[in-house]
Amino acid sequence: MRSLTRSRWMTPSHLLLATLAAGSVALADTPARPAYVGLGDPHLNVVPRTEAEAARIAAATARATDFTSAQAYEERPAGAATVRVLPDANAFSQPSGNISFEDELEFKLGNGLFRKLWVSSPSSTLASDGLGPLFNARSCQRCHIKDGRGHPPENADDNAVSMFLRVSIMDPEGGAESAAVAEIADYIATLPDPTYGSQLQDFAVPGHASEYRLAVRYDEEIVRLADGTEVALRHPTYEAANLGYGPLHEGAMLSPRVAPQMIGLGLLEAIPAADLLANADPDDLDGNGISGRPNIVWSVQFDQPMLGRFGLKAGSPTIMEQSASAFAGDIGISTPLFPAGAGECTANQTLCQAAIHGDNDDRGTEIDAEGMDLVTFYSRNLGVPARRDVDDPEVLRGKEIFHSLGCTSCHTPSFVTHRLADQPEQSFQLIWPYTDLLLHDMGPGLADDRPEGRATGREWRTPPLWGIGLTRQVSGHTYFLHDGRARSLIEAILWHGGEAQAARDSVVNLPAEDRAALVRFLESL
C-alpha cells in the first residue's frame, strides 16, 4: 500500500489524497439512515478494523498467483450477500442474499417505487403525478430494464429510452465564484447549457415540446488480430436532432450515456475510501503506465467534497445522490435533494417552468424523503449473482491471462467492505467487483471530450465486471461501454486505449484459444 503521509515528493494530487485519507474533511450532519460522512466514506457507523483484521484482509485480497484452482470464496462475488443465479431475466432483481425478512419488505417497497410509472400533473393519482414536463423515461425501470444495462437505438425507429446525451459548457469564470469548486483540487469547472440544462430529454408531457431526438450513425472499422481474425468496431457519431428550443450553446459538449446495470451498488458504497485511494497513482510513480485518479466531487447532500463512486465518470458520491439526480434529470421528479418542481428545465424554458407540477402539502416534493430512502435501500441491496464455472480449466486459464496482461491494474479483483453497524447486508464482506472505482485515461477512441468534476474528456471510471457474463440473459443483448458501441466483450477490449493500450495490444496478439479462454473467464463473472 502506498503511503499517503506528507513527504517532499508529494504533488498537489497526492496531497489531495492524503487529506482525504487522513480525515481532515469535516463530518456532515447526517440523518439516522442512511448515514454518510466526508472523506469519501458514505457511512458514519463504521466499526474500526483491528490490526488482526487488517492482516486477514490483506491475505484475503492478495492477487492470485496460483491459477490451477479457484481462490477461496471466489464463487461468492458479494460475500454473504451473493444470490443464486436465476435462469431468466430476473437474475439482477433479487435482494441481497443475507437480507432479513423484515428488510425484504422494505426492498419490495423500494422496488415498487423504482418501477412506478409517473404521470403528468394535474392528476387524480396524487401519489404518482409530477412527471416532467421534460423527461427521458417514466420510471427508473424503463432505463435500467430488469436492473440491467440499457442499449443504444437499434434502428431509426427505436427510441432511446435507456440512452441520452449529457450536455455542458465550460465555465468562463473557471468556477471562481463557487466555494464548492474552490475546495476541490484539479476540478474542471463546467456549467449546464443555458437553454437545455445538463442533459437532453427526448420526451415531454402534452402541451410541451421535447428537447431533441437522438440520432446515431455508425461507421465500421475492421481490426485484424494477429491470427487473422477480423473484428468490426462501430465508430458512433451522435447528433442532437430536431432541437425543440433553439440551438445549443456554441460551446456545448455532448456525451452519450447508456444506463448501467444496478447490482452490487451498496457493496461498492461500503468499500473504505482509504482502500480505494491506496490504488490511486495519479503521477504514475511506480512507472507501470497506470495512473488511476479519484474523482472528488461536491456533494449536494452534505455540502462538502466527497469521493465519487457512481456514474460512468464517478461523478456522484452516494447512491442516494445518484438516485435523486436521476429522478430530477431522467423523469423530472422533484426530491428533497433536488426540489425543483420543473425538474431539469432551465430558466430559458419559461413554459416548462410555469407548468403545473406534483408537489403538494403532504409530500412537499414529488417523491419525499421516505420514498427516497426506500429507493436507495432497494438500489443498495440488488444482489450480485454467484460466479459460474470457477474451477473450469478454460476459465482458470482465462483468469491467468487476465492477470498476466495487467488487467487487474484497473479492474481490482477484490476488497473487504467496512464493518457497518446499521447495514448488515454490506458489513465486512469479501467482495469481487473487479473495479478500482478510479478514473483512467482510456485514449482518444473512447474520449467524449467532456469533463465531469475532476475527470477529463478522456477519463472514465473503471466499471465493475461482476455479472457481465449474464448481460444477454438479463438485458437481451451484449452491448458494452458507456454508449453501447461494443457488441461483444472482444469489441469492448479492442476499444481500450490510453492506459490500457498495452493490455489491448497484447489481446490482439493472443492465440485464438487464449483469447477464447479470456472471454470465457469474463463470462464467468
Side-chain angles (χ1 to χ4, degrees):
M1 181 179 295
R2 186 174 294 106
S3 173
L4 292 176
T5 56
R6 184 185 295 269
S7 69
R8 60 183 177 84
W9 54 262
M10 292 184 79
T11 66
S13 295
H14 283 87
L15 289 174
L16 173 64
L17 302 189
T19 300
L20 289 166
S24 63
V25 180
L27 296 181
D29 293 328
T30 60
R33 181 174 190 172
Y36 301 123
V37 309
L39 329 177
D41 263 328
H43 302 94
L44 183 63
N45 298 320
V46 172
V47 179
R49 292 174 174 174
T50 66
E51 290 186 11
E53 285 176 340
R56 287 171 52 205
I57 290 167
T61 58
R63 301 294 170 84
T65 56
D66 177 8
F67 299 97
T68 61
S69 61
Q71 291 168 267
Y73 311 112
E74 191 177 4
E75 73 281 2
R76 298 176 64 81
T82 304
V83 297
R84 65 189 180 93
V85 181
L86 296 180
D88 56 26
N90 295 308
F92 287 176
S93 300
Q94 305 172 77
S96 299
N98 55 351
I99 198 169
S100 69
F101 178 79
E102 294 78 13
D103 281 346
E104 190 168 349
L105 175 59
E106 187 170 351
F107 177 88
K108 290 177 178 177
L109 290 171
N111 185 22
L113 289 170
F114 194 83
R115 297 168 62 92
K116 174 192 278 196
L117 291 174
W118 295 85
V119 297
S120 58
S121 301
S123 168
S124 60
T125 311
L126 296 180
S128 298
D129 69 342
L131 176 68
L134 305 175
F135 61 97
N136 295 109
R138 289 182 58 199
S139 74
C140 306
Q141 182 76 210
R142 286 289 179 94
C143 288
H144 301 279
I145 304 162
K146 292 291 186 179
D147 305 296
R149 298 174 186 271
H151 61 84
E154 299 275 11
N155 52 57
D157 297 324
D158 187 7
N159 65 47
V161 72
S162 57
M163 184 180 190
F164 63 84
L165 294 176
R166 289 212 182 279
V167 58
S168 57
I169 64 173
M170 295 305 299
D171 183 352
E173 302 297 326
E177 301 299 320
S178 172
V181 172
E183 292 194 35
I184 302 175
D186 302 325
Y187 193 90
I188 305 170
T190 62
L191 295 170
D193 182 274
T195 299
Y196 288 92
S198 59
Q199 73 185 60
L200 295 174
Q201 285 90 14
D202 49 353
F203 293 102
V205 301
H208 297 263
S210 62
E211 290 188 324
Y212 83 125
R213 178 180 60 83
L214 175 62
V216 187
R217 187 189 78 248
Y218 294 105
D219 297 307
E220 288 205 346
E221 170 197 6
I222 301 300
V223 175
R224 184 181 294 272
L225 308 185
D227 63 1
T229 300
E230 292 185 345
V231 180
L233 300 186
R234 300 191 301 177
H235 288 258
T237 300
Y238 300 98
E239 179 189 0
N242 302 345
L243 289 168
Y245 297 86
L248 288 158
H249 186 278
E250 61 182 9
M253 301 173 288
L254 300 175
S255 180
R257 293 288 191 276
V258 164
Q261 65 186 31
M262 297 284 293
I263 58 173
L265 298 183
L267 295 164
L268 298 178
E269 191 178 55
I271 299 172
D275 291 356
L276 296 170
L277 295 173
N279 290 325
D281 187 13
D283 301 307
D284 192 21
L285 295 177
D286 60 10
N288 69 349
I290 307 299
S291 51
R293 303 190 310 128
N295 200 355
I296 309 302
V297 297
W298 190 262
S299 172
V300 175
Q301 188 175 1
F302 301 112
D303 197 30
Q304 64 184 38
M306 294 183 72
L307 176 64
R309 298 173 187 247
F310 304 107
L312 293 166
K313 286 182 179 273
S316 190
T318 69
I319 297 171
M320 171 72 81
E321 195 157 330
Q322 175 77 3
S323 301
S325 177
F327 267 113
D330 299 350
I331 316 179
I333 296 298
S334 62
T335 69
L337 280 185
F338 302 101
E344 228 248 326
C345 296
T346 68
N348 289 341
Q349 295 169 322
T350 54
L351 185 63
C352 181
Q353 287 287 347
I356 299 173
H357 55 77
D359 295 355
N360 60 60
D361 293 337
D362 293 330
R363 295 201 311 270
T365 51
E366 289 159 339
I367 183 169
D368 59 14
E370 182 180 7
M372 281 306 306
D373 283 346
L374 289 169
V375 171
T376 301
F377 185 83
Y378 171 76
S379 301
R380 181 182 289 138
N381 279 288
L382 282 164
V384 180
R387 285 274 310 275
R388 286 83 54 211
D389 304 322
V390 293
D391 283 314
D392 182 275
E394 186 180 29
V395 170
L396 291 170
R397 173 60 181 155
K399 178 183 174 182
E400 182 177 14
I401 294 167
F402 188 83
H403 280 251
S404 67
L405 297 184
C407 302
T408 57
S409 296
C410 301
H411 291 283
T412 304
S414 58
F415 294 92
V416 172
T417 60
H418 272 306
R419 280 197 185 277
L420 300 173
D422 57 350
Q423 286 182 217
E425 301 88 1
Q426 289 81 43
S427 181
F428 209 60
Q429 300 298 322
L430 171 61
I431 63 172
W432 304 77
Y434 284 89
T435 178
D436 59 9
L437 297 184
L438 299 177
L439 301 172
H440 294 276
D441 182 341
M442 295 301 294
L446 287 179
D448 66 350
D449 299 319
R450 176 185 173 273
E452 183 176 338
R454 300 176 74 233
T456 69
R458 289 168 54 117
E459 289 181 312
W460 299 93
R461 182 202 69 162
T462 306
L465 296 182
W466 50 14
I468 198 168
L470 296 172
T471 299
R472 182 182 295 279
Q473 175 181 318
V474 171
S475 301
H477 63 75
T478 55
Y479 297 143
F480 301 110
L481 301 178
H482 66 281
D483 56 0
R485 69 178 67 184
R487 295 162 292 187
S488 68
L489 291 171
I490 283 296
E491 285 187 38
I493 292 169
L494 294 178
W495 273 109
H496 283 50
E499 297 174 42
Q501 185 70 46
R504 177 263 185 204
D505 292 346
S506 295
V507 172
V508 169
N509 292 313
L510 285 176
E513 60 270 23
D514 283 350
R515 191 168 62 249
L518 175 62
V519 171
R520 180 81 188 283
F521 164 69
L522 293 173
E523 290 176 341
S524 78
L525 295 178

